[in-house]
């Protein structure tokens, strides 16, 4: 459905604009603390399932399929509220998490600060052992959370 | 420079991974309140200028050129800290703003909540009049902030 700019920006019709690859950006923010946790893409199915189930589902571009966050690691994201931006090509998910959610073992994926053009500094500690989380289920590749 | 997965994820070398279009995603969050303001893309020049000047610069895909946020509207973003995510294909900018920064007139671009698959609800009030902000300089098209 094509809608005009004013309706898109000022209206109250949800009209998510997927890009040419059928994807829309989703930013996840912890509702309680405001901490930005990660960003990923959703296709139409992932967005529908997220709204219907209240659990964050993305589309994995590397694996070419739906990525039900937490399916392997147990680190689900419970989606409390969803917001859209002005031109409806980006979503903001306010979520609850149990512990960490980054596959490297940190709570947020943004655990390093950029100091200058070439260097980073870690600003957080790991909150879980990813090796343990991803080996829970035998036969799983353990590649992503 | 190609670096291995462990260095990329656990190291302290800043190695931003631009996509096939030469862009990297940047999320802007108000440092003081934690409010997520917007998301946009940077190319290498935009990132370099952002780091060098401390003002957020993006790459406008629609206009095909650098987008110095605030150049027209005066609503600059002062970048206090920058973080990178685990696989270094997304940046998080902690910024200071004066007032609004969304071109529609709101503080954040995320001023509408998704109620269900089809409808939105406004959750914020405008903080400035975009018509006024974009007409400050004669001869400007006033298209973007």
């Amino acid at each position: 459905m094509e809608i005009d700019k004013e309706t898109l920006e000022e209206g109250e019709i949800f009209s998510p604009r997927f890009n040419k690859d059928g994807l829309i950006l989703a930013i996840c923010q912890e509702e309680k603390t405001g901490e930005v946790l990660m960003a990923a893409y959703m296709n139409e199915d992932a967005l529908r399932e997220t709204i219907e189930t209240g659990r964050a589902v993305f589309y994995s571009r590397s694996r070419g399929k739906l990525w039900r966050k937490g399916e392997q690691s147990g680190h689900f994201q419970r989606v409390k509220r969803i917001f859209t931006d002005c031109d409806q090509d980006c979503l903001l998910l306010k979520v609850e998490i149990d512990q960490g959610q980054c596959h490297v073992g940190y709570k947020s994926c943004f655990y390093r600060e950029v100091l200058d053009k070439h260097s980073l500094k870690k600003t957080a500690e790991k909150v879980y052992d990813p090796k343990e989380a991803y080996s829970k289920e035998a036969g799983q590749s353990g590649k992503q959370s």
Side-chain angles (χ1 to χ4, degrees), chain A:
Chain A
M1 183 179 62
E2 204 52 51
I3 59 174
D4 62 86
K5 189 168 183 287
E6 179 156 351
T7 307
L8 184 73
E9 293 183 347
E10 301 266 19
E12 299 199 329
I13 297 167
F14 184 36
S15 185
R17 287 170 61 220
F18 297 90
N19 68 14
K20 60 180 167 39
D21 298 320
L23 302 176
I24 190 167
L25 179 67
I27 300 165
C28 300
Q29 180 181 32
E30 190 179 35
E31 190 185 31
K32 191 175 60 178
T33 62
E35 191 169 357
V36 175
L37 300 173
M38 59 169 284
Y41 290 89
M42 291 181 173
N43 65 2
E44 210 169 338
D45 287 344
L47 176 57
R48 187 188 310 115
E49 192 171 314
T50 298
I51 293 175
E52 284 175 358
T53 65
R55 278 190 176 178
V57 178
F58 306 102
Y59 181 80
S60 168
R61 291 172 297 170
S62 59
R63 291 179 292 164
K65 63 175 189 174
L66 286 190
W67 166 28
R68 295 182 175 86
K69 179 77 183 160
E71 203 171 34
Q72 287 181 244
S73 65
H75 297 308
F76 296 101
Q77 295 189 348
R78 292 177 296 283
V79 180
K80 310 308 286 182
R81 304 175 77 179
I82 303 175
F83 293 78
T84 185
D85 76 341
C86 39
D87 55 0
Q88 301 203 39
D89 66 356
C90 180
L91 303 173
L92 175 65
L93 279 57
K94 304 266 190 174
V95 304
E96 272 181 9
I97 56 171
D98 290 325
Q99 196 187 21
Q101 61 81 47
C102 172
H103 77 285
V104 183
Y106 297 91
K107 177 179 171 186
S108 162
C109 294
F110 299 96
Y111 50 84
R112 288 173 299 180
E113 182 168 359
V114 177
L115 296 184
D116 55 45
K117 284 180 220 171
H118 306 291
S119 51
L120 302 174
K121 185 186 173 186
K122 282 199 186 168
T123 54
E125 298 294 326
K126 292 192 184 186
V127 294
Y128 76 96
D129 180 354
K131 283 196 190 83
E132 204 175 291
Y134 293 109
S135 64
K136 273 178 195 158
E137 293 180 38
Q140 298 270 18
S141 74
K143 197 180 162 195
Q144 221 160 1
S145 56

